[in-house]
Amino acid sequence: MAQQIYPLNVGVLGATGTVGQRFLVLLASHPYLRVHAIGASPRSVGLAYPKAVKWKQTTPIPKAYRDLNVSACEPGAFAGCKIIFSGLDADVAGDIELAFRDAGFAVFSNAKNYRRAPLDHLAVVRQQQQELKKPGFIVTNANCSTTGLVVPLAALERAFGPIDTVLVTTLQAISGAGYPGVPSLDIMDNVVPFIGGEEEKMVWETKKILGSLADTSTGFALRDEMRVSATCTRVPVIDGHTECVSVRFARRRAPDIAAVRAALSAYTCDTQTLGCPSAPTQAIEVHDAEDRPQPRLDRESQAGAAVSVGHFVLLVNNVCLGAATRASSTPRSPAHRDSLLSASGGE
Ligand SMILES: NC(=O)c1ccc[n+]([C@@H]2O[C@H](COP(=O)([O-])OP(=O)(O)OC[C@H]3O[C@@H](n4cnc5c(N)ncnc54)[C@H](OP(=O)(O)O)[C@@H]3O)[C@@H](O)[C@H]2O)c1
């Protein structure tokens, strides 16, 4: 394989949206990825980024993007990029992300469109390339509430064996609905006890992520024996999904609280092992205080890359770990970087 040159050029689709803005903030200080091109809807195309975006982050637009023009979301406009991070709306992500994959890009998606396709366990990336006889591929992030849930579930299963029942009730932030999102008259002074399609996603994606790949690597072996029940609500919080969780282990008796706390605190995730720049130093923060975690106090913990747990009420930052941080968690070591790049068709 030819030598890789760093920093590596990447493109961001949906760069003006809630997830896209978070991508740009994270990538502005990335040690070896550099934003080369950005795309959004026809409404924004041709405008300088600051003119096109309704910037909602608490830090100013990074300098690097102030003179960057918004391109159409077409592969030709992203020549020179190796990797594409997508924060596109699900309504448009399907065709656009496919066009980028078919043009040979490595596409990291946050939309729901391809989560059910056998695309997004990393071991099937090469299988996807072989089947399509093309260098491009799509990797999808999971639903943001599911992402927060499966981290502590994986830690508990690693320590105590299979979980057979999961009951979860979410209190989801309004940023999860994108911009402008839920009308203020619906969400102020209120709780909305339904988020379309969310409960089904949490049930299916939990069984998928905690499951495995089929022997052929062409599909998933879902955890069908695991019962998952989800109730999803929208609450007047800007960022950070809170989730109240109960689990039952297949093995009786259940572990005691001290053992559960120790198992959660000791859990190490793959992004830590791989040395990804945006990995948390502690994957799960276990709180001692009875009134934590709280979205306002805990969502920025470890730059939004950790899950906070107390009383098995957990908090996940939906736009960071739930979207942009996870997708941009490329490995730090040269060997891992290069294997990712060779999978993405890098020269
Ligand atoms: N928000 C979260 O917490 C979160 C978490 C996990 C996953 N997700 C998923 O991530 C995706 C993006 O969510 P979001 O909340 O960031 O949405 P958003 O704030 O509504 O942003 C949507 C982006 O898509 C662009 N877009 C819309 N129509 C387009 C078109 N026809 N062609 C090209 N670009 C177009 C918009 O550009 P303009 O500004 O030019 O209209 C904008 O950049 C969704 O699939 C969502 O389900 C969101």
Side-chain angles (χ1 to χ4, degrees), residues 60-330:
I61 298 179
K63 267 202 186 109
Y65 311 129
R66 294 193 193 152
D67 297 323
L68 206 54
N69 279 357
V70 178
S71 299
C73 291
E74 295 162 3
F78 286 73
C81 299
K82 293 255 178 233
I83 292 174
I84 300 294
F85 294 113
S86 170
L88 286 174
D89 264 343
D91 291 349
V92 296
D95 291 346
I96 296 176
E97 291 173 0
L98 216 51
F100 276 81
R101 183 193 71 177
D102 289 348
F105 292 94
V107 180
F108 292 81
S109 167
N110 283 282
K112 65 182 178 190
N113 306 58
Y114 298 112
R115 286 185 196 146
R116 284 177 181 249
L119 301 179
D120 52 348
H121 282 187
L122 283 178
V124 296
V125 164
R126 285 202 188 281
Q127 202 270 337
Q128 198 183 144
Q129 293 170 311
Q130 281 161 9
E131 203 165 277
L132 298 166
K133 298 191 174 45
K134 287 182 179 156
F137 59 85
I138 299 178
V139 174
T140 61
N141 265 352
N143 163 267
C144 43
S145 308
T146 310
T147 300
L149 176 64
V150 295
V151 175
L153 294 187
L156 293 175
E157 290 209 314
R158 191 181 283 178
F160 309 115
I163 290 169
D164 69 19
T165 308
V166 181
L167 305 177
V168 56
T169 301
T170 67
L171 297 86
Q172 295 183 217
I174 47 183
S175 63
Y179 186 85
V182 190
S184 53
L185 282 179
D186 288 346
I187 197 66
M188 296 291 287
D189 185 32
N190 206 11
V191 170
V192 181
F194 178 71
I195 303 174
E198 193 79 356
E199 293 168 355
E200 293 81 353
K201 282 184 217 165
M202 286 199 78
V203 170
W204 191 84
E205 292 185 28
T206 300
K207 292 180 180 198
K208 180 188 99 171
I209 295 166
L210 295 177
S212 53
L213 282 178
D215 291 343
T216 53
S217 293
T218 54
F220 303 115
L222 297 188
R223 287 282 296 279
D224 276 333
E225 83 293 354
M226 177 188 273
R227 285 180 296 177
V228 182
S229 166
T231 303
C232 297
T233 75
R234 188 77 72 195
V235 296
V237 162
I238 291 178
D239 284 331
H241 294 343
T242 303
E243 304 178 30
C244 305
V245 190
S246 301
V247 299
R248 193 176 78 161
F249 292 95
R251 195 196 315 155
R252 309 290 194 275
R253 323 179 1 218
D256 64 25
I257 297 283
V260 167
R261 294 175 68 86
L264 293 173
S265 298
Y267 182 70
T268 309
C269 59
D270 288 348
T271 53
Q272 291 173 283
T273 316
L274 291 169
C276 301
S278 43
T281 46
Q282 176 93 35
I284 301 174
E285 282 195 26
V286 180
H287 289 263
D288 292 324
E290 290 175 333
D291 61 353
R292 302 288 280 276
Q294 297 179 18
R296 197 147 44 86
L297 302 182
D298 299 308
R299 63 190 163 205
E300 295 304 336
S301 161
Q302 298 183 61
V307 178
S308 301
V309 180
H311 273 167
F312 219 167
V313 173
L314 71 83
L315 175 74
V316 58
N317 188 316
N318 51 300
V319 281
C320 289
L321 184 62
T325 301
R326 186 160 30 114
S328 59
S329 287
T330 46

